Amino acid sequence: MNEEEKAVLKAVIESVVGDYVYKAGSARAIEFTEERLREIGMLLAGEKDRKVISQVTGRIKSADSIYKKIRRKNYPADRSGVLRCNDLLGVRMVCLFVDDVYEVAERLKNQTDIHILKEKDYIRKPKSNGYMSLHLIIEVPVSLREDKQGDSDKVREDEEIQWRKVEVQLRTAAMDFWSVLDHQLVYKKEFPGAESVGKELKEYAATIWELDKNMLQLRKKIEHLNI
Ligand code: 0O2
């Protein structure tokens, strides 16, 4: 891609970001997803009498990050390329235990008012660098009202709605620790020695997985003792 093409792509992204990504509907889609996850977490916490979700956070992908992704993935340098990015809107949910990650995911998949478009299980099948997380690409309904009124979680039947794609990343606190550090230090970065650093980080991912399994076993042991 030459400089002129890069500039055209940047301009296209800026315009899509302005007229679609940064519109209020995006914030509402994130809010809807966050609220639904918190609700699921609260219900599970009540049933299990312990904390299940430790953190839920949402973000809208920055124009710069969209630009880099389109180039990395060789997507078309136009609006369709931007809309092919599944993670323009993202919500991350962190659980304490790995079985909770799957239980929350199952409950989310059973919600009747959202669509599940895609699932990628990087926990059962981690990425080659060690990254672990369960990804769900979902579609949530948002009202097209400019002025938000009432509960963002409820879309009235007579309202005009738009379906917005959200990438939900579900993982344990230990996996989150690893991936946040990986993102800061290594992911998508090129530097001398990156290969050996990546190798070391992959070993730590294996340690993280052992720790997650041990903590789960410990919790089950305690639950068994308390019966
Ligand atoms: P950023 O900077 O976090 O936004 P697809 O959904 O199949 O069209 P995509 O989007 O490549 O293709 O899917 P994938 O591999 O599931 O990655 C989606 C997001 O997951 C990434 O977005 C990261 O946020 C996270 N992720 C994936 N792999 C890794 C990894 O190895 N390390 C870390 N730390 N995070 C990862 P972006 O746009 O790549 O990055």
Side-chain angles (χ1 to χ4, degrees):
M1 190 179 262
N2 61 35
E3 289 309 311
E4 199 181 324
E5 286 167 330
K6 279 187 200 167
V8 169
L9 177 58
K10 273 205 161 133
V12 169
I13 290 170
E14 293 293 343
S15 107
V16 180
V17 163
D19 82 3
Y20 180 79
V21 185
Y22 286 163
K23 281 285 178 196
S26 293
R28 282 184 212 144
I30 287 177
E31 252 176 70
F32 178 103
T33 310
E34 287 178 340
E35 275 181 34
R36 194 55 61 90
L37 285 167
R38 287 201 184 96
E39 204 174 283
I40 292 171
M42 253 185 263
L43 291 173
L44 279 174
E47 289 169 26
K48 294 173 187 294
D49 198 21
R50 62 177 173 79
K51 190 171 166 152
V52 170
I53 290 180
S54 72
Q55 198 185 318
V56 179
T57 48
R59 66 104 180 92
I60 298 179
K61 202 173 183 72
S62 70
D64 191 50
S65 182
I66 298 171
Y67 168 75
K68 286 185 181 141
K69 186 157 200 162
I70 285 179
R71 295 207 52 203
R72 207 170 64 239
K73 296 217 159 221
N74 244 332
Y75 286 167
D78 56 23
R79 188 181 170 90
S80 74
V82 176
L83 299 182
R84 263 175 76 178
C85 297
N86 284 326
D87 62 341
L88 293 175
L89 311 180
V91 173
R92 183 170 297 156
M93 187 223 57
V94 178
C95 280
L96 297 177
F97 295 98
V98 69
D99 59 344
D100 291 337
V101 170
Y102 285 103
E103 224 170 315
V104 172
E106 271 319 300
R107 298 235 177 162
L108 187 64
K109 286 193 255 176
N110 287 336
Q111 304 290 305
T112 52
D113 57 349
I114 65 171
H115 301 151
I116 307 295
L117 304 182
K118 192 169 170 184
E119 176 171 358
K120 286 204 257 178
D121 191 344
Y122 295 127
I123 297 178
R124 293 209 167 99
K125 202 167 180 293
K127 285 182 72 171
S128 59
N129 61 352
Y131 175 76
M132 283 177 286
S133 212
L134 179 64
H135 290 190
L136 292 176
I137 311 296
I138 65 172
E139 241 178 7
V140 301
V142 290
S143 159
L144 290 183
R145 277 171 302 163
E146 274 306 315
D147 298 309
K148 192 181 128 192
Q149 297 153 8
D151 193 344
S152 66
D153 197 22
K154 304 274 182 303
V155 176
R156 288 197 313 266
E157 270 177 24
D158 58 339
E159 272 182 77
E160 202 189 337
I161 59 155
Q162 189 182 59
W163 288 89
R164 300 298 301 265
K165 213 159 42 169
V166 181
E167 183 193 69
V168 184
Q169 299 183 345
L170 307 109
R171 51 173 80 140
T172 64
M175 291 170 195
D176 191 54
F177 168 68
W178 184 95
S179 68
V180 169
L181 292 188
D182 171 60
H183 199 284
Q184 190 181 111
L185 301 173
V186 180
Y187 185 54
K188 297 185 289 188
K189 292 192 169 59
E190 284 173 21
F191 55 87
E195 205 175 312
S196 79
V197 170
K199 224 167 133 191
E200 193 173 336
L201 208 54
K202 189 174 177 173
E203 286 167 21
Y204 300 152
T207 309
I208 291 282
W209 177 235
E210 282 307 307
L211 195 62
D212 262 333
K213 279 195 299 184
N214 290 342
M215 286 299 187
L216 179 58
Q217 267 170 14
L218 187 65
R219 193 199 78 213
K220 287 187 172 167
K221 195 159 128 186
I222 294 166
E223 283 167 353
H224 189 70
L225 290 172
N226 288 336
I227 282 172

